[in-house]
Amino acid sequence: MLAEWEHQSMVQLTWPHEGTDWAPILDEITAVYEEMAREIRKREPLLIVDNILQPKGRSVACIPHNDTWARDHGFITVEDTSFDQKSKALVLLDFCFNGWGEKFEATLDNQINKHLYDQGFVKGTYEDHLDFVLEGGSIESDGKGTVFTTECCLMAPHRNQPLTKEEIENRLKEWLGAERIVWLQHGSLIGDDTDGHIDTLVRICPNDTLLYTGGDKDHPDLAEMEKELQELRTLDGKPYRLLKLPLPRPIYDEGDRLPATYANYLVINGAVLVPTYNQPDLDAETLRIVGEAFPDREMVGIDCRAVIKQHGSLHCCTMQYY
């Protein structure tokens, strides 16, 4: 499984529409998507999945969808290294997305990938794994044999029972080309619908660096996660370089605390799009810290206060292709 900072051919956005849960704030969320689209298109092609064909002036695939979380219904790309070659042979893994353990309707979302492939919007070898539930936000790869995930997500109800942890690990190693799977035992955010996606908690960066979410008094489990990371070693037996991200101050919607996180950034060609939450000191600190992990890329803040109203953030909205 390729690392996110590998050179990309395009990024996918699945566009909000009035038939999604975004309907009450459609104008607000559309403005955020437009900003993401502008920043992506400055640096690489953009693929839009829309429910109706509209003249948006960019590549648009007309495919009905339930919601917009491209990270979790999009293809997971791996490189075929089974034989020597000058150019990468890419394999597009199509896993089942079932609304994070059947919490939400995802029937239409689960059909997007095959439509994209059949219509020629994506290139590579199609591989059907629709009998196995796996979301892109639940796994992180360093591109050299290590894949991170969380036990609370992959072992959560209504995903892949009755498979055991060992059985799931063996399948991930085979399909993702991993030498090892790192299962984190701790870490979750209040208000999270995903059962603890790794991309809200810990992100793998170049040079054996881990960016991770710090905690507060309401998230003691994040301190336990930090201890896990301090004890981890690379495949070479070395400790990881750890960079702690602040946790945004509590943001509420109708009395419920939302799962805001700075870890949910997107790496694209030449830049990192970083979620911000109108908390100037913490936003600036985050841009500085993420910049330490990616010193050769521009840091671009995207206001994600609208996105977290549906309990996701910037990385959740996107999927990159190579």
Side-chain angles (χ1 to χ4, degrees):
M1 180 181 173
L2 294 165
E4 188 167 305
W5 56 86
E6 295 273 1
H7 185 78
Q8 300 168 12
S9 62
M10 66 179 179
V11 169
Q12 175 185 332
L13 286 174
T14 303
W15 209 256
H17 60 82
E18 61 186 9
T20 65
D21 289 342
W22 295 115
I25 58 167
L26 189 57
D27 289 344
E28 184 180 0
I29 192 62
T30 298
V32 179
Y33 269 68
E34 289 284 3
E35 184 179 5
M36 287 192 287
R38 283 193 297 271
E39 293 297 337
I40 292 167
R41 290 181 68 225
K42 289 177 184 178
R43 299 165 178 91
E44 60 187 273
L46 176 68
L47 170 63
I48 296 290
V49 174
D50 206 350
N51 67 317
I52 55 175
L53 193 59
Q54 297 180 354
K56 288 189 167 62
R58 48 188 173 258
S59 181
V60 179
C62 182
I63 304 172
H65 51 277
N66 298 111
D67 220 320
T68 60
W69 307 112
R71 180 62 46 180
D72 296 336
H73 61 241
F75 280 112
I76 294 170
T77 307
V78 299
E79 182 183 0
D80 183 357
T81 58
S82 60
F83 54 92
D84 292 334
Q85 53 200 345
K86 293 183 179 180
S87 60
K88 293 179 179 178
L90 300 178
V91 182
L92 303 170
L93 305 182
D94 190 6
F95 290 99
C96 177
F97 173 59
N98 71 347
W100 309 297
E102 301 176 352
K103 297 183 183 73
F104 303 96
E105 175 59 43
T107 302
L108 295 177
D109 297 341
N110 205 43
Q111 300 171 7
I112 292 173
N113 290 342
K114 192 61 166 62
H115 284 295
L116 287 175
Y117 186 79
D118 289 344
Q119 296 175 32
F121 283 98
V122 294
K123 304 296 183 182
T125 300
Y126 178 88
E127 199 167 284
D128 185 341
H129 294 287
L130 290 170
D131 60 347
F132 189 88
V133 176
L134 186 68
E135 301 111 28
S138 70
I139 49 176
E140 273 279 307
S141 174
D142 66 356
K144 54 184 182 180
T146 295
V147 171
F148 275 52
T149 191
T150 62
E151 185 168 328
C152 59
C153 178
L154 265 62
M155 299 304 296
H158 306 292
R159 276 183 165 87
N160 291 302
Q161 289 78 13
L163 293 180
T164 65
K165 179 180 175 181
E166 182 180 10
E167 289 170 329
I168 291 174
E169 176 166 323
N170 288 338
R171 295 189 185 200
L172 294 181
K173 284 181 176 178
E174 176 185 355
W175 296 332
L176 304 180
E179 292 186 43
R180 65 168 180 165
I181 307 296
V182 174
W183 295 81
L184 295 183
Q185 307 296 316
H186 299 279
S188 62
L189 298 174
I190 295 171
D192 175 41
D193 288 328
T194 69
D195 301 309
H197 271 188
I198 192 73
D199 71 349
T200 67
L201 302 167
V202 180
R203 304 295 305 279
I204 306 177
C205 310
N207 303 313
D208 295 327
T209 297
L210 299 179
L211 281 168
Y212 68 99
T213 300
D216 61 11
K217 62 181 179 60
D218 297 322
H219 291 85
D221 200 46
L222 293 177
E224 295 301 314
M225 183 187 76
E226 182 178 38
K227 294 177 183 177
E228 283 190 86
L229 299 179
Q230 291 169 346
E231 295 173 0
L232 279 179
R233 295 296 180 267
T234 68
L235 281 171
D236 296 329
K238 301 175 182 178
Y240 283 93
R241 176 193 182 204
L242 301 180
L243 298 176
K244 183 192 293 189
L245 295 169
L247 187 68
R249 297 184 188 90
I251 302 173
Y252 295 92
D253 183 39
E254 296 182 355
D256 295 324
R257 182 165 177 174
L258 300 174
T261 172
Y262 287 114
N264 207 249
Y265 58 79
L266 173 71
V267 183
I268 59 175
N269 297 338
V272 183
L273 306 187
V274 182
T276 61
Y277 300 101
N278 195 33
Q279 299 182 10
D281 56 336
L282 298 184
D283 294 346
E285 182 182 359
T286 297
L287 290 168
R288 178 187 63 78
I289 295 170
V290 178
E292 288 186 35
F294 296 94
D296 59 338
R297 297 178 193 248
E298 181 183 2
M299 298 293 111
V300 180
I302 303 287
D303 189 335
C304 286
R305 285 177 291 169
V307 187
I308 61 167
K309 290 181 181 180
Q310 287 296 329
H311 297 200
S313 199
L314 195 153
H315 193 251
C316 305
C317 299
T318 57
M319 178 56 83
Q320 72 279 348
Y321 292 87
Y322 302 92

